[in-house]
Amino acid sequence: MKKSLIFILCILLFKVGLSAQTKVRVYGYVIDTNNRGIELANVFFDKTSVGTTTNQNGYYELTINIKDSATIVYSMLGYQTIKHTIHPHQQVIQISVELQTLSKQMGEVNVVGQRRQTSTLDMLDPAKLKVMPNAAGGIESLLITFAGVSSSNELSSQYNVRGGNFDENAVYVNGLEVYRPLLIRAGQQEGLSFINPDMVQNVGFSSGGYDAKYGDKMSSVLDIQYKKPTEFEASASLSLLGASAFIGTSNKKFTQMHGIRYKTNGYLLGTLDTKGEYNPSFVDYQTYLTYQFNPKWELTFLGNFSQNSYRFKPDSSSISFGTYSTPRNLIIYYEGEEKDLFRTSFGAFTLNYKPIKGMKLSLLASAFYTNENETYDILGEYILSEVKLDLNTENKTGASLGVGKYQQHARNRLNASVSNIAHLGEFDTGNHKMKWGINIQNEIISDKINEWEWRDSVGYSLPFSDTQVNLFYNMKASSVLSTWRSTAFFQDAYKLNSELGTFSFTGGLRANYWTFNKELLVSPRFSVSLLPRWKKDFSFRFATGVYYQAPFYKEIRDTITDGLGNVNIQLNPNIKAPRSLHFVLGGDHYFRAWGRPFKFTTEAYLKLADRVISYTVDNVQIRYSGNNDAKAYMAGADFKLFGELVPGADSWINLSLMNAKEDIAGDSYISHTFDANGKILTSTTVYPGWVSMPSEQRYTFSMLFQDYLPNNPKYKMQLKFIWSDGLPIAAPFNSPYAAAFRDKANRAPAYRRVDIGASRVLVSGTDKVMEKLWLKHVKNIWLNVEVFNLLDFHNVNSYYWVTDIYGQQMATPNYLTGRQFNLKIMVDLK
């Protein structure tokens, strides 16, 4: 009996001891005497195994059970060690420390500090935004974090940069330029972009003024580096919009990554005004393999296959639009369906050789192939009517303003292959870093177009004829193109230390020759940056250069339209590459507020362009004129505040202001004045001159805010907000009043969108549920709840023009997706 009482007493005392322990979360920053975060500093509890290292901002976070007190040790090579004792009076404690440099002489020490931007190429760590709400699902959605980038279509991965269009953005993966399908005309068809987010290591982006090593595009460069696994890693995700899986392994010589993605946005498309059977299916497989023969020789392979299948049987749509005083409603009943299939494949071998220290020589061979089929037969019957303003009326439909029919037909086929062989080299001598390259590329394209549209308004075919039935629009063409393209570049980066600070100079020259138009392009580029030796932490940069938009295929299609709307296509061998002169001036200010790191970035730019090929935009389809018929300029300023509004969580605010104008040669229209009876009194020819470019968004505001529960940071929240200017509205197709439309600068409503996500992460070793045997190989589990378009804004994607009984054409908006919920689970394996 006595022994039993002693045993029970011991158990009680043990439980009391356990209950006396308090779980404490400690976080903060480790900074130096210049108020900069120290990366990779050691932070640990003395005489325990609980510890961590700081991130690039000097941030750390630890959790431990404490009974009476505990001592935290802060150490870093080259700095004095600090110890701090805490008592468990609070469950959450913030401690930031400043480490003094050692006064005694030391040997050579490589101290890793915060990276300062010395060029127009900005960097982003994609891992930090893993749980950001993302309807499109691609890495491109992260680009709103960069200055001057805007996107007004959540269904598409395409983006505009400082007044440029989608085709003016170059994308590189591991130094290889990648392409996208050419026939896609709507975001619903687009599917998956080339870049697999699970395989990405680094993201670099430049909005202009980039180096000569990057290709011939006029707006931007997205430079993606895939990672090389150093150990086994794997992940999988599943949501209402698709699924993905990734695996990577490594040994002494061989590394491999494989990723597969599946996307179906039918659930999201269900919020569109057009109701029907949406059956999109997008599949993508990628692999990246490396083999290290010895320290000097390495062979890599990057492979990709994707298939985008889009099937749609529309049923009906009901669209309300207009103003408060003149509300309108358009009801359309459909027959028919659309079937699209896009298959692309890509493969690239790279052989790397390092003959001496600082030198790297590479030989690359790659091939890209796309097989695209777009087919649809859709018949629509519409009723355009007024909307009654009487709130007590159950039937809101008013008088009919017009009835009509239309039929859209297409049988479009495109096959394209791009193969090239290239050499890249670099040599780093210390102060000089030289890079060079040469590339020979063959392009073969076969394009067959057969599409037309018939319209009937109030019983009359448009355009009206009393002798025949005419098509509103008709295009039929067959083109075959086989050309060679060669490019070369050389650039040198030089660093100079002076009393003013550290200067970085980069100069380069790029050349491009295309056999189709027999044009040689020479593009000089130069940039300089300064890291001044000031007490305040600033950096400045300036870049300039000549940039060309080397035509590929769509730009050279010269469309000739007759009076009946028949469109013929011929390839224009006299086309010239659009040319622009860039001036970019920017700076960063690094500072700490509330003990947290921030960076404020400002960039001003001016782009002067000539030999511009004018174009119009419908959804994501760009129609070029096929002629160098315009000149343009783009000027503006971008402002970005990036930092940790909440410790350890990156957030940012962007504001972009822009003015983008073009002057199209021969652009004119006739302006009339009328008397009281509607008769023409005078007619005047008006030359619009400088008008808004199709991609001009005069302002864009975007924000991403991340937060978590202070007592349990495993519960996180992400809020993404975009408010941007509406794009100019294009005139009806084949309209003789296109110039007048450009002159009046009619715009779509502003694009506004709020996406929000909440997540909970389960971590192996800290969450009890992860201790189960069947979860022993699971590292983390992320549980996400997302709400897309939280405030249910009705954003306009494009317009469809209908004719009322008075002969007036009215722009009927095609709205984007509404509010939608999404559930997502992500699993990281170990």
Side-chain angles (χ1 to χ4, degrees), residues 638-657:
D638 301 315
F639 308 92
K640 174 181 174 183
L641 178 63
F642 185 95
E644 298 183 2
L645 295 176
V646 176
D650 291 337
S651 300
W652 63 82
I653 298 174
N654 282 345
L655 175 63
S656 297
L657 305 174

Side-chain angles (χ1 to χ4, degrees), residues 578-579 607-614 627-634 660-665 689-693:
R579 176 176 56 192
K607 298 193 287 186
L608 305 174
D610 64 351
R611 311 197 305 185
V612 175
I613 305 172
S614 64
N627 291 283
N628 302 104
D629 55 0
K631 56 184 178 181
Y633 71 86
M634 289 134 280
K661 297 292 188 290
E662 65 179 354
D663 185 3
I664 301 177
W690 293 99
V691 298
S692 295
M693 297 188 69

